[in-house]
Amino acid sequence: MNDLVRQHTALSESDLEWLHLLVSEWQLLSDLSFADLVLWVPTLDGTRYVSVAQMRPNTGPTSYQDDMVGHLVPRGRRPMLDAALDEGRIVREGDPEWREEVPVRVESIPVRREGRVLGVIARNTNLLTVRTPSRLELTYLQSASDLAQMIAAGAFPFPDQQVDMDASPRAGDGLIRLDADGVVQYASPNALSAYHRLGLAADLVGQHLGRITAELAPSRGPVDEALVKLASGYAPREAEVEGNGGVIQLRAIPLKPKGPRIGSLVLLRDVTELRRRERELITKDATIREIHHRVKNNLQTVAALLRLQARRMDSVQGKEALNEAVRRVGSIAIVHETLSHNLDERVEFDEIADRVLAMVAEIAPGKVVCRRSGRCGILDAEVATPLSMVLTEVVQNALEHAFAPGEQGTVDVTAVRGGPRGAERLLITVQDDGRGLPKGFDPQRAGNLGLQIVRTLVEGELGGSFDMKPAPGRGTHVVLDIPVQSEK
């Protein structure tokens, strides 16, 4: 719609925002009317109309099988559009049109903002299934007529209320029509069922909805006057009401077709099961985070015990082996600590990588600097945990074997992520400027424990590849190539 309006019309950005607000609300008008809606806006030169938006009803058959958005029609071809635009009134005159052997009643509703008519809504009703209307259908049609008059007068939509139509109740979920005093004139079967869920034993018709709602929603203090006012439909508001184990979502729409409020529409939906499932998910999320927190604490306890044991050992090799085990356990603990703060089993691995580098750098001989560049991105927990251990082993190996005591140097960790969605790969390179690999060294057959862990985790658990070779000039170049899922 933005492109069509800016390309073909003279409307301002504030006018465009008004049209967006209207389009976010007009599903309600379409459902209440049992009709298709097409928004036509005059072009810049005033000789044509361009259709910038379209809506089909959920409550009846469509009148348009094709998408009308982007169509241009010359002025004069549809006289009802011309009359609504020029005279600023709703136009209903004329015989039904026949489209593919289907009779269609066409009406035109001017869209007004601050006294100016921005465009026209063509309301098209499929008459093929017309029958004697029920009380519910009559209420729908009367409410649609009131809303249409409000649109023509510039009183709807409400500029200070942005509605999320995906989350807001719709007409089919439950509808109540109130008079000017807030007394129920009509309640749809779904609306009545929702109030029965709150504990109402009687009928709603003839009851003051605000007071009944406040009585069904217990509060610790006096009667909730704000809830009474909302359920009475005095102002456009949304709220949730909970009582008797049930939860309903309310949306009030004041009806002012000719200026003064003549009544209100209250849309409502029973969201009891939805809220129950949300609470269960919140409880499960909290439980999972607590488990990760306890695992992290237990791993830190294990690391502390290993550290104590290392201090008591006389063997230099045994002490070093225990210190390596401490760092391996610590790298896993970092992942679980990160997961304990997340709502899902995915982590931002760059934070973990930085903490791993800081932990391993504590053993760096001399003045060796560890640096990271690039971005690893968000990874699943089953990838992040072994990858943190792999990164620990590779960087630790570089620090232990590439530099002599007191020697200055750098260890650069670079991450590159990319590839088509569903086949992304994470490429991590670790390069030092140390003494390099011994002559004849084969990383695929080297028997030290650290490289065995790296090969097992990268190739076996992560399904990737590992390579270690002399760097150009000086040092060692390690490449980790790992398949990962998309971040989205």
Side-chain angles (χ1 to χ4, degrees):
M1 186 168 75
N2 286 350
D3 293 340
L4 289 171
V5 168
R6 290 166 181 158
Q7 179 181 354
H8 294 286
T9 78
L11 297 183
S12 65
E13 289 299 317
S14 58
D15 293 334
L16 179 57
E17 285 302 315
W18 181 263
L19 295 184
H20 273 294
L21 189 60
L22 172 65
V23 168
S24 73
E25 292 271 27
W26 71 344
Q27 179 72 66
L28 175 61
L29 177 62
S30 179
D31 289 345
L32 293 175
S33 304
F34 308 98
D36 290 75
L37 305 178
V38 179
L39 178 57
W40 297 93
V41 180
T43 57
L44 183 63
D45 58 9
T47 62
R48 295 181 295 176
Y49 297 97
V50 58
S51 59
V52 298
Q54 179 178 358
M55 177 58 65
R56 293 182 172 90
N58 294 317
T59 52
T62 183
S63 302
Y64 286 109
Q65 298 299 324
D66 298 326
D67 187 2
M68 296 297 297
V69 175
H71 281 216
L72 289 161
V73 297
R75 185 177 172 89
R77 179 175 295 179
R78 300 191 178 182
M80 296 177 70
L81 291 181
D82 299 339
L85 182 70
D86 297 339
E87 301 172 23
R89 64 179 179 88
I90 298 176
V91 181
R92 295 190 175 95
E93 300 87 356
D95 296 327
E97 297 180 3
W98 287 83
R99 299 175 187 163
E100 299 180 358
E101 300 183 356
V102 175
V104 176
R105 182 174 63 242
V106 181
E107 304 166 88
S108 295
I109 305 167
V111 177
R112 192 182 303 273
R113 174 179 180 263
E114 296 179 352
R116 296 179 299 111
V117 177
L118 306 183
V120 179
I121 295 175
R123 181 163 56 177
N124 303 270
T125 307
N126 187 325
L127 300 178
L128 198 60
T129 58
V130 170
R131 62 185 187 278
T132 303
S134 64
R135 178 73 188 280
L136 180 143
E137 291 170 331
L138 289 172
T139 303
Y140 271 32
L141 293 171
Q142 180 58 54
S143 302
S145 177
D146 293 336
L147 286 177
Q149 292 182 61
M150 292 171 65
I151 291 173
F156 186 83
F158 305 109
D160 57 345
Q161 186 187 39
Q162 186 69 39
V163 177
D164 181 3
M165 292 306 297
D166 291 333
S168 185
R170 297 194 177 191
D173 296 325
L175 179 142
I176 297 174
R177 174 89 184 210
L178 307 179
D179 65 14
D181 297 322
V183 176
V184 177
Q185 294 180 309
Y186 174 79
S188 71
N190 284 347
L192 190 58
S193 296
Y195 266 83
H196 285 167
R197 189 75 176 263
L198 290 181
L200 179 69
D203 193 2
L204 272 173
V205 176
Q207 304 270 17
H208 189 280
L209 188 65
R211 289 195 287 268
I212 284 291
T213 304
E215 291 173 5
L216 294 173
S219 60
R220 297 179 181 178
V223 174
D224 190 342
E225 293 297 333
L227 181 58
V228 173
K229 189 173 182 179
L230 181 143
S232 300
Y234 294 130
R237 295 287 185 272
E238 289 193 59
E240 284 191 3
V241 179
E242 184 170 358
N244 194 41
V247 184
I248 63 173
Q249 187 180 11
L250 295 177
R251 182 190 176 197
I253 302 174
L255 297 176
K256 305 175 181 179
K258 297 181 179 179
R261 189 174 66 86
I262 64 167
S264 305
L265 275 183
V266 177
L267 305 178
L268 62 149
R269 177 169 57 188
D270 185 348
V271 293
T272 304
E273 294 304 315
L274 178 62
R275 296 296 175 259
R276 181 184 63 81
R277 288 195 295 269
E278 287 178 351
R279 288 165 185 162
E280 288 179 354
L281 287 174
I282 290 172
T283 301
K284 288 179 181 178
D285 287 340
T287 302
I288 292 171
R289 289 198 300 271
E290 178 62 22
I291 289 172
H292 284 302
H293 181 72
R294 293 189 182 188
V295 170
K296 182 264 296 184
N297 287 344
N298 290 339
L299 289 172
Q300 288 181 336
T301 300
V302 171
L305 291 173
L306 291 173
R307 196 176 292 111
L308 285 173
Q309 187 66 38
R311 291 173 183 169
R312 293 175 176 271
M313 293 195 69
D314 296 327
S315 169
V316 175
Q317 289 184 338
K319 183 177 293 187
E320 182 58 34
L322 288 176
N323 285 332
E324 288 182 2
V326 167
R327 287 188 286 273
R328 289 166 185 149
V329 172
S331 66
I332 302 174
I334 290 172
V335 176
H336 282 283
E337 182 179 4
T338 305
L339 288 169
S340 69
H341 300 296
N342 289 0
L343 292 176
D344 55 15
E345 292 291 289
R346 309 192 79 192
V347 295
E348 180 67 59
F349 193 76
D350 297 295
E351 177 186 348
I352 294 173
D354 289 338
R355 294 182 62 181
V356 165
L357 291 179
M359 177 183 67
V360 178
E362 294 177 359
I363 68 163
K367 299 179 180 179
V368 179
V369 177
C370 295
R371 302 179 300 197
R372 180 184 66 84
S373 60
R375 181 173 180 272
C376 299
I378 298 174
L379 300 177
D380 293 335
E382 58 264 28
V383 174
T385 301
L387 185 56
S388 67
M389 288 191 64
V390 168
L391 187 60
T392 300
E393 295 297 334
V394 172
V395 176
Q396 181 174 301
N397 187 72
L399 293 175
E400 286 182 350
H401 302 293
F403 304 99
E407 185 179 3
Q408 293 185 351
T410 59
V411 176
D412 289 308
V413 178
T414 305
V416 177
R417 184 166 181 167
R421 182 173 297 181
E424 286 191 14
R425 302 194 74 84
L426 174 60
L427 192 69
I428 297 178
T429 60
V430 180
Q431 183 167 322
D432 63 69
D433 56 359
R435 61 171 66 99
L437 295 173
K439 187 175 181 179
F441 179 82
D442 184 358
Q444 300 302 327
R445 296 185 179 182
N448 75 68
L449 179 61
L451 289 181
Q452 288 181 11
I453 290 174
V454 170
R455 287 198 300 269
T456 301
L457 292 178
V458 171
E459 297 173 0
E461 191 162 341
L462 295 175
S465 62
F466 159 70
D467 190 23
M468 189 180 206
K469 58 186 178 182
R474 175 181 168 86
T476 303
H477 186 78
V478 177
V479 179
L480 306 172
D481 188 357
I482 300 164
V484 293
Q485 291 186 355
S486 172
E487 293 187 80
K488 295 183 180 179

